Amino acid sequence: IKHVFCVSQYDHHFLSSYICKNDESVSCIVNGLEESLFMPFSAKLKQIIYMPRKNYFDASVVSSMMQSSNLLSDWTLFPINGIPHEDVVSYMRSSLLFLSFGHPEGFGLPVAEALASGCAVVGYSGLGGRELFDLASQYRMAEEISLGDWSSFIKAVQDFQLSYELYPVSVINSLTSVARDIQSKYNFQAMIGSVLHA
């Protein structure tokens, strides 16, 4: 192996530690997110979104648990599936919470897009998305869940809802800060720079 290109810090560490045995043989390419995600997001709805195609079984179980509890009394749970990308972006920009079921993930693009759109995130990092969860958790706007830990999914959703009910302005400010940080790190210029460096 002469050189490997990857798209996450997790993969870079794994490849340089165990496969290529040095940093010089591995380059991490930054994912440049679409700029349409970076516009100031509009008014947020009490809406939770998820992608059921990512780990369908877990998504089904967690969504059923949420529907049978009181978590959705004044919140909407919407599955994003089979709709155009511009509609996906629109749902992300109007929602407060994204449930991540992707595992494994090389990077976790849906998580990055959700955070850039001003959504908090609860769910699986897929390992490759751990850097995204780490960044957002600094603002308490992300909760990484261990694979298959459905009860922790529910608890994290409850915690976020309570936080939003008690401190809506603070939550929106934190989501804005996370979105800004994601946008400054995962943009087109950063992608070009990482390719040139590689």
Side-chain angles (χ1 to χ4, degrees):
I1 298 174
K2 291 186 177 181
H3 205 88
V4 177
F5 300 93
C6 63
V7 292
S8 69
Q9 294 171 9
Y10 178 88
D11 286 351
H12 185 275
H13 174 72
F14 173 78
L15 291 164
S16 60
S17 298
Y18 303 106
I19 305 300
C20 298
K21 308 289 179 146
N22 64 73
D23 282 344
E24 292 76 31
S25 299
V26 184
S27 294
C28 188
I29 305 301
V30 173
N31 273 289
L33 302 179
E34 294 181 41
E35 290 187 12
S36 63
L37 297 164
F38 297 169
M39 297 180 293
F41 45 82
S42 54
K44 291 288 190 176
L45 306 174
K46 287 186 177 181
Q47 185 165 268
I48 302 167
I49 54 174
Y50 68 102
M51 295 181 170
R53 65 182 176 80
K54 296 268 188 174
N55 234 324
Y56 177 79
F57 181 75
D58 288 44
S60 299
V61 171
V62 171
S63 63
S64 295
M65 290 172 68
M66 290 178 65
Q67 288 164 355
S68 64
S69 68
N70 63 351
L71 285 176
L72 300 175
S73 57
D74 60 343
W75 288 69
T76 303
L77 179 65
F78 183 79
I80 294 178
N81 196 26
I83 61 176
H85 186 66
E86 55 269 18
D87 292 343
V88 173
V89 171
S90 178
Y91 274 107
M92 286 183 170
R93 291 168 55 75
S94 63
S95 300
L96 279 164
L97 184 61
F98 176 79
L99 304 182
S100 172
F101 293 100
H103 186 89
E105 291 281 359
F107 171 66
L109 189 59
V111 170
E113 291 178 334
L115 292 171
S117 302
C119 285
V121 177
V122 166
Y124 306 153
S125 72
L127 301 178
R130 188 163 283 162
E131 65 196 72
L132 302 167
F133 278 80
D134 288 346
L135 187 155
S137 65
Q138 295 173 23
Y139 298 94
R140 299 184 180 203
M141 290 296 110
E143 181 80 30
E144 183 176 358
I145 305 298
S146 298
L147 185 64
D149 188 356
W150 304 325
S151 61
S152 290
F153 247 110
I154 301 303
K155 174 72 166 57
V157 171
Q158 288 173 323
D159 290 347
F160 176 79
Q161 288 176 324
L162 180 60
S163 181
Y164 182 72
E165 296 296 341
L166 294 175
Y167 312 106
V169 174
S170 177
V171 168
I172 293 298
N173 288 341
S174 293
L175 290 174
T176 302
S177 296
V178 172
R180 184 186 60 239
D181 285 0
I182 291 287
Q183 293 162 15
S184 69
K185 187 169 183 178
Y186 302 99
N187 57 60
F188 192 66
Q189 289 305 314
M191 181 177 70
I192 290 173
S194 69
V195 171
L196 290 174
H197 178 74

